[in-house]
Amino acid sequence: TLLLDQSFKVQGKITYFDVSGDGKKIAFVSRGKLFVSDIKGKFIKQIEIEKTERVIEVKWMSDNVTLLYSRTDKGWANWFTTKADKKSTEKQITFDEHSNRNISLNSDRTKAVYLSGRNFVKIIDLKSMQSETIVEEELWGFYNPLPYFSPNDEYILFTAYRNFEQDIFIYNIKTKTTINLTNTGVTETNPFWSPDGKYIYFTSDRYNASYPKGTQNNKLYRIPLNKFEKEFKSEKYNELFSEKEEKKDGTKDKKKGKKEKEDSKIKKEKIIITIDLDNIINRWESMSVRGGEQFSPYVINKDDKSNVLFISNRDKGENELWKTVIKPFEKNKTEKITGVKANSFSISEAKDKIYLLTKGNIYKLDLSSNKLDKIKIEHSFIKNLDNEFSQLFYETWTTLQENFYDKEFHGIDWNKMKERYEVYLPYLRNRSNLRLVLNEMLGELNASHLGFSSNGNEEKVFHKMKTMSTGIIFDQNEPYRVNYIISNSKADNKENKIQKGDVLTAVNGIKVNSKQNREYYFLSPVKNDELKLTFNRDGKVFDKRIHTENSGRVNTLLYDEWIQDNQDYVDNKSNKRIAYVYMKNMTGPSLNKFLIEMSSEGLNRDALILDLRYNRGGNVHHEVLNYLSQKPYFHWKYREGKKTTHPNVTPSAKPIVLLINEHSLSDAEVTANGFKELKLGKIIGTETYRWIIFTSGKSLVDGSFCRIPAWGCYTLDGKDLEKEGVKPDIYIDTNFKNRLENDDPQLDRAIEEILKELK
């Protein structure tokens, strides 16, 4: 039952960590629980927290004993402290109904900066434990880069959104002023201040906006904050004679060594940061390396070298950790860090040693050898699902409370919904119950792109059956008699001798019972790649081997047959004057098919029908609408050649009809609305589904997932497409009788309207 304790292991499952300033201890989080170990991971203690809550982040404070950590409190992430050296009662520091997250500390661990909710950058004094809001900006409530203190602790570096794209901002703590460092129409993100205070490193696809698809070609850049003069070789030469480096006997001067350490400390304290914004957009320096993308820079200065760590897929397309070394008077050198693949990483530095978390494990990083050595942390802990399910419930509720696109929650009292459904928590008996309760609660919002998904090892079943499809369609009234073979299925080949009217009598030598459900003979715990089917044709029995395929592909092929029937119908009715292009969804493969058809059939026809009926969405509306908007704007030709337009495919110069219906949803609705706003042609059919909110999601403590419909979509005059949908210019409905009789009045009307224009 859910009340029974279960054992979990931390190895490969660590989600956050920090190394103490004395370099002796590691604090880390696994499955929402908080642990402390020695630096080698041998001696581990679990720090007790409220059993029904989840720890997310943890930091050591300056005494190397006190832990500052975020954990949920009825779903809201707040800051707490506790002592790691003995049993201690945790102390709550903040009591916000916001998600407090993404914390980083200043150089002496006396202050911390973090993000709170959708809009607030805050600083917390780690002596008084008082927080203050320093900046209110459009941050969004999840997936934010870390804010940082500058190396001299005088500034805060963070990102915020302008027109859906991230800009990099610097906040002056003394003057309480904020400057937008980048201020472009594309995203600059993951900023990191170089330890000498001179540069801001970051990543950007400088030539393309990131929304709505995300960045496509991230590269690494840095901005010099002032016009710094490069070092002179002559000065480096003169330094060789400024002091004696060694005693006459060849040993180092200990007093001098001590002085160097003191000078280094003074130098760090006296880092002076100057920011010159004049023409800063032209001071960007590309740090990218050839091949692949780059992400998440982290800079470590050692001696006279700057080591820039970053993630890149430049080698065989796999994300790995790389290092670029920047050294005066030498070319930059980029090398791979070996030891593990990495999609992301976090770093903790202590006592001149570097520790790194990636793929759920903590490593010690040796910059000189470019190697990661895993710290073996082998530990098991106890947790029960009853407590975890309660935490999942409240965090899902708060995630929607903070991020749902409509502040009025579609007229629903979201607080009352929490009260209505939390009463069921004591009665949950399995994960299916949890999914039911949470999805019922989310359903109260009457919104699209919502959902809670979850699975666990306790749900694994022993018996599973797989369906083996053949591409043969049997008669509806006589379930063992062949009706036809699906086009392009594995049964559709020249060697196939199966014909309409053949009767199936055996499968793999097992005689069929005509009273038995036919699918019984096509089920197996293990999918067979081929079947031997026995048929009777007018008293003659024969065998035929068939390669099997999954039912999903068969459904796709049936869908394709319907599309081809429409194509043939339009060709016949219009004498091939009208191009018919159908998009199943708004994904990359469908876009590619659209582009191919537009540059072939669409090029040579006089008009176009674009069919978005039954289209379930995706995210290529921009590409489709841009393509449909193309008009000719000049002619060109080779000498004595044929004059042609540019571009050579110009749909907008010809009549276009867009078909939509009540099953057109999500990005199909964005496309239909754009088609209408751009006045590209007539829209025929029925109103769209009203199912369009741009969405993301959040992974929870056990890998469960909550969708977050966070960005509303609106017409230019302010109508919410989620509530209004898109109305056709000509309303034509279809009914079940039309489907049975293979009539399509919507397609008929589209052909009729275009032929009127072509006369």
Side-chain angles (χ1 to χ4, degrees), residues 313-327:
N313 60 354
R314 65 188 301 250
D315 185 14
K316 300 177 183 177
E318 293 186 277
N319 284 339
E320 297 175 284
L321 187 63
W322 293 77
K323 178 187 78 173
T324 294
V325 178
I326 305 170
K327 191 175 182 180

Side-chain angles (χ1 to χ4, degrees), residues 333-388:
K333 185 178 181 181
T334 299
E335 303 167 306
K336 187 191 298 184
I337 305 292
T338 61
V340 70
K341 307 292 183 186
N343 293 318
S344 62
F345 68 94
S346 60
I347 281 181
S348 182
E349 300 181 62
K351 292 292 183 181
D352 295 323
K353 290 184 173 58
I354 305 162
Y355 301 89
L356 181 145
L357 171 65
T358 187
K359 296 281 187 177
N361 291 300
I362 300 171
Y363 297 83
K364 188 175 178 181
L365 172 59
D366 185 344
L367 280 177
S368 60
S369 65
N370 296 325
K371 289 183 179 179
L372 289 170
D373 293 319
K374 185 191 292 187
I375 298 175
K376 294 182 180 179
I377 303 178
E378 297 179 352
H379 183 72
S380 297
F381 61 97
I382 301 300
K383 191 176 186 182
N384 70 57
L385 294 184
D386 186 57
N387 291 331
E388 191 165 87

Side-chain angles (χ1 to χ4, degrees), residues 96-111:
D96 299 321
E97 290 192 350
H98 300 296
S99 59
N100 291 328
R101 64 197 184 280
N102 289 34
I103 197 165
S104 62
L105 277 57
N106 66 353
S107 58
D108 59 6
R109 303 195 184 213
T110 58
K111 292 185 184 339

Side-chain angles (χ1 to χ4, degrees), residues 383-402:
K383 191 176 186 182
N384 70 57
L385 294 184
D386 186 57
N387 291 331
E388 191 165 87
F389 284 5
S390 175
Q391 193 277 328
L392 289 168
F393 174 88
Y394 288 109
E395 188 169 356
T396 299
W397 181 87
T398 58
T399 296
L400 271 296
Q401 170 69 10
E402 188 159 75

